[in-house]
Amino acid sequence: MKKQLFILLAFLAISSLNAQDFKTLTYFVNDSTKLELDLFLPKTKSKEKLPLLIHVHGGGFSGGKREDGHHIAKYAATQGYAAASITYTLYMKGKKFSCDGKLPEKVKAFQIAANQLWQATLFFIKNSEKYSIDTNKIFISGSSAGAETALHAAFWDRNAMALYPEKLPESFKYAGIISGSGAIMDLNLITKKNVIPALFFHGSCDVTVPYATASHHYCPPGSTGWLMLFGSYSIYNHIVDLNGTANLYTFCGGGHEYSDELFAKQPQEITSFMARVLRGEKEQSHTIINTGKACAKGEYNFCE
């Protein structure tokens, strides 16, 4: 009997160690779509409501999964943040997303994903008491397509671009944004009125999502999928011109493989940035990191 009890207790202990440290929640449902997120919460309860990070994975709007954001969400939770990695509609799955794609389809992919990020945000606003969320301290982040999602969610006109009837409060504003190898379709979307603190990181030789200003995938004019994009370097300089808070990490010689770099390998940079924002610190900094790589012939190298 004692042996059986010991085995049972050992099994329960192992099960406890292997238990999921996140909750999977449905944040949006309609007749055709069901979307989930994985929510990580600090193990130590706080008397104060928690700041929140909502992360959007990459994958060219055709691949990836919310588990790809678990590393940053899990780390953020250890630093006192609630953190969620979301599922969103992979609208470009089975479609062409490069130069031979269709421009309206690319824009639609951005719009659907941004709207679903708004819905995830709305979910937490509605459930702020249940999960102890401070709705004035909601950050968004993303890698590659996820970064493009976050950037457009932060700066698009939410009324003009809305796809769903339920909308965020008119007065709502994200506390800040973290963008890994992302870009925005129009710098003029970012104004003195709506600018928020931003942290960017990007490879200087990225030919998938431009580091500065260029067409998506550097497509030649006349391509059916031609889309002008303003990358991290251009957005950083624009926010600096607006006298906003902005930080840029440039991985010199790096390509699109750096789109998850800080989230996966230096997550302390993410939580440190959010902490400084919450303390009200204003900063403008550009950190250049030499990767030891060089741009391929014909590629742009903004570090030279």
Side-chain angles (χ1 to χ4, degrees), residues 95 176 207:
K95 301 181 176 75
V207 293

Side-chain angles (χ1 to χ4, degrees), residues 181 200-206 211 248-255 257-262 266 286-293 295 301 303:
S181 301
F200 304 97
F201 57 95
H202 211 136
S204 66
C205 301
D206 192 335
Y211 166 75
L248 171 62
Y249 289 81
T250 296
F251 290 93
C252 270
E257 70 274 12
Y258 285 88
S259 63
D260 205 41
E261 188 74 10
L262 295 191
Q266 300 178 59
H286 183 185
T287 303
I288 298 175
I289 301 162
N290 188 353
T291 66
K293 301 178 182 179
C295 292
N301 188 353
C303 297

Side-chain angles (χ1 to χ4, degrees), residues 3-15:
K3 183 178 180 181
Q4 289 176 325
L5 181 60
F6 175 79
I7 292 172
L8 176 61
L9 291 174
F11 173 77
L12 291 174
I14 293 171
S15 296

Side-chain angles (χ1 to χ4, degrees), residues 20 88 104 118 120 136 139 183 185 205 213 217 249 255 284 294 303:
Q20 289 183 328
Y88 60 101
W118 291 334
N136 293 312
F139 293 81
M185 287 189 282
C205 301
T213 300
H217 287 210
Y249 289 81
Q284 296 172 347
C303 297

Side-chain angles (χ1 to χ4, degrees), residues 42 53 71-83 267 271 274:
L53 174 66
H71 45 288
I72 183 57
K74 186 174 183 179
Y75 179 81
T78 68
Q79 303 302 303
Y81 295 84
T271 54
M274 293 192 292

Side-chain angles (χ1 to χ4, degrees), residues 201-228:
F201 57 95
H202 211 136
S204 66
C205 301
D206 192 335
V207 293
T208 301
V209 178
Y211 166 75
T213 300
S215 60
H216 186 220
H217 287 210
Y218 284 86
C219 295
S223 301
T224 57
W226 189 90
L227 172 65
M228 182 60 73

